[in-house]
Amino acid sequence: MGTVEWVETVERLIRSTQELLWERGYVGTSPKAIQAAAEAGQGSMYHHFAGKAELARAAIERSGAELTEAAEQELAGPGTATERIVRYLRRDREVLRGCRMGRLTADPDVMADPALRAPVAEAFGRIRARLADIIAEGKRDGEFPAGLDPVATAAAVAAVLQGGYVLARAAGEDDPFELAVQGLVHLLEGVSA
Amino acid sequence: MGTVEWVETVERLIRSTQELLWERGYVGTSPKAIQAAAEAGQGSMYHHFAGKAELARAAIERSGAELTEAAEQELAGPGTATERIVRYLRRDREVLRGCRMGRLTADPDVMADPALRAPVAEAFGRIRARLADIIAEGKRDGEFPAGLDPVATAAAVAAVLQGGYVLARAAGEDDPFELAVQGLVHLLEGVSA
């Protein structure tokens, strides 16, 4: 097998594991299912990864990188702090599938393994820090009141997104997610100058 | 076996299933584990419940009733709308275990079965409706501005709680939950008269 095929196989293994973890959780993601979804043989999978745990870690790291990259697309754009945060909250999302990273926090196997939890913690840490920076910018520009705590407000923004997914999945429809985002946006606009 | 023993056995079966669903999810909750935790025999379990799905439904309904009852304890108390909501958000919670109901929304088996998802949807629906009533009261009393949408604000409050659990579990500490609640409370106080 040439280098290109190797890279492509590793790529398919990681992508398939990302999807399976999202859909079925760690315990429901068998090496056989990964191999079938990736169209890779057992030997090929174990040639590239020591086992399911190592592959899961690579998949979770990839999901974390994609999550922060997608957030950055909205947050780095033009506009006031509120506009950028609203754009981030309102970008198209597959609401009923939930957040790839957020759902892992309910997965007992992922939470019990420090190596699997670390990339989840890092991804949310990065997004909260980025949101806090933007809110601090908004304070400096006089957009937000001096008393607003950037770190706490950033945590509320990230929590509304993650909780919005939970409420939407419970209801079986997008509506509660949209409502929660709308409620937070109105509060943010309400305290803005 | 007398009636008292029967009632006690059913009670232990339901309580054990609630705990196991919370800790291990539906797929990780075996009839054997339920029987062991409940100190009930296999015959006893199947005498009272047709199977794991029926017992899980009873356990989820019980968790839903307990969730709304606990919310009502804070929400029905004295004080302004903001005070009651803040008390609800800040009541003691086992943050790192997450919400019994919220975590079920990440459980593919629970979400895939309409009979198991229904009590989850109902519990969150009741809490959101109750929060919306209190916010509408606060508007009538002049505590909140006329433009505040009670239904959307209620969804944001419920989402911050659920998302706070997600962020805390990701981080492995209570801190992000406390921050998210604090951030939302400051926004609510910021728009209040």
Side-chain angles (χ1 to χ4, degrees):
Chain A
M1 223 196 265
T3 309
V4 172
E5 284 81 4
W6 270 31
V7 170
E8 282 173 358
T9 304
V10 167
E11 188 60 26
R12 284 202 312 275
L13 284 164
I14 291 176
R15 293 235 153 271
S16 302
T17 308
Q18 282 180 283
E19 286 297 313
L20 285 164
L21 283 175
W22 199 6
E23 285 304 320
R24 308 191 198 166
Y26 190 85
V27 71
T29 299
S30 67
K32 263 200 186 337
I34 296 171
Q35 290 153 25
E39 294 175 23
Q42 182 174 329
S44 171
M45 175 177 148
Y46 288 103
H47 177 79
H48 295 294
F49 297 96
K52 173 173 143 178
E54 193 181 304
L55 186 43
R57 163 130 193 167
I60 296 171
E61 279 172 353
R62 176 72 67 86
S63 291
E66 287 170 355
L67 185 76
T68 48
E69 214 171 273
E72 198 51 28
Q73 272 185 16
E74 315 296 336
L75 293 173
T80 65
T82 307
E83 283 165 358
R84 289 148 73 195
I85 291 172
V86 169
R87 208 163 49 218
Y88 167 63
L89 288 169
R90 293 212 166 129
R91 76 180 171 86
D92 283 335
R93 294 169 187 273
E94 293 182 85
V95 171
L96 286 182
R97 291 190 76 191
C99 173
R100 280 182 195 212
M101 299 305 276
R103 280 183 55 186
L104 293 176
T105 65
D107 193 318
D109 299 293
V110 174
M111 290 297 102
D113 182 340
L116 296 181
R117 190 173 63 72
V120 182
E122 278 157 27
F124 283 120
R126 279 198 301 273
I127 285 189
R128 285 169 48 211
R130 184 69 174 108
L131 287 167
D133 281 348
I134 290 171
I135 292 161
E137 260 180 58
K139 275 178 70 173
R140 278 195 300 275
D141 296 346
E143 186 183 338
F144 293 128
L148 199 76
D149 178 342
V151 173
T153 312
V157 170
V160 159
L161 266 189
Q162 291 301 319
Y165 287 125
V166 170
L167 298 178
R169 283 177 59 84
E173 54 180 30
D174 287 11
D175 199 45
F177 179 94
E178 310 293 351
L179 279 169
V181 166
Q182 185 190 317
L184 180 76
V185 168
H186 283 177
L187 289 174
L188 274 176
E189 289 170 348
V191 299
S192 297
Chain B
M1 222 196 269
T3 308
V4 171
E5 285 80 3
W6 269 31
V7 169
E8 281 172 0
T9 305
V10 167
E11 188 60 25
R12 284 202 312 277
L13 285 164
I14 291 176
R15 294 236 152 268
S16 303
T17 308
Q18 281 180 285
E19 285 298 313
L20 286 164
L21 282 175
W22 199 7
E23 284 305 320
R24 307 191 198 168
Y26 190 85
V27 71
T29 299
S30 67
K32 262 199 188 333
I34 295 171
Q35 289 153 26
E39 295 175 24
Q42 183 175 329
S44 171
M45 175 176 148
Y46 287 103
H47 176 79
H48 295 293
F49 297 96
K52 173 173 142 178
E54 193 181 303
L55 185 44
R57 164 133 191 165
I60 296 171
E61 279 172 353
R62 175 73 67 87
S63 292
E66 286 169 355
L67 185 77
T68 48
E69 213 172 275
E72 197 52 28
Q73 272 184 16
E74 314 297 336
L75 294 173
T80 64
T82 308
E83 283 164 359
R84 289 149 73 194
I85 291 171
V86 168
R87 207 163 48 217
Y88 167 63
L89 288 169
R90 293 210 167 131
R91 76 181 171 86
D92 283 336
R93 293 168 188 274
E94 293 181 87
V95 171
L96 285 182
R97 291 190 75 191
C99 173
R100 281 182 195 213
M101 299 305 274
R103 280 183 55 186
L104 293 176
T105 66
D107 192 319
D109 300 292
V110 173
M111 289 296 102
D113 182 341
L116 296 180
R117 189 173 62 71
V120 182
E122 279 157 26
F124 282 121
R126 280 198 300 273
I127 285 189
R128 285 169 49 210
R130 183 69 174 107
L131 287 167
D133 281 347
I134 291 170
I135 292 160
E137 258 180 59
K139 275 178 69 173
R140 277 196 300 275
D141 297 346
E143 187 183 336
F144 293 128
L148 199 75
D149 178 342
V151 172
T153 311
V157 171
V160 159
L161 266 189
Q162 291 301 318
Y165 288 123
V166 169
L167 298 178
R169 284 176 59 84
E173 53 179 31
D174 287 11
D175 198 46
F177 179 94
E178 311 293 349
L179 279 170
V181 165
Q182 185 191 318
L184 181 77
V185 168
H186 283 177
L187 289 175
L188 273 176
E189 289 170 347
V191 300
S192 297

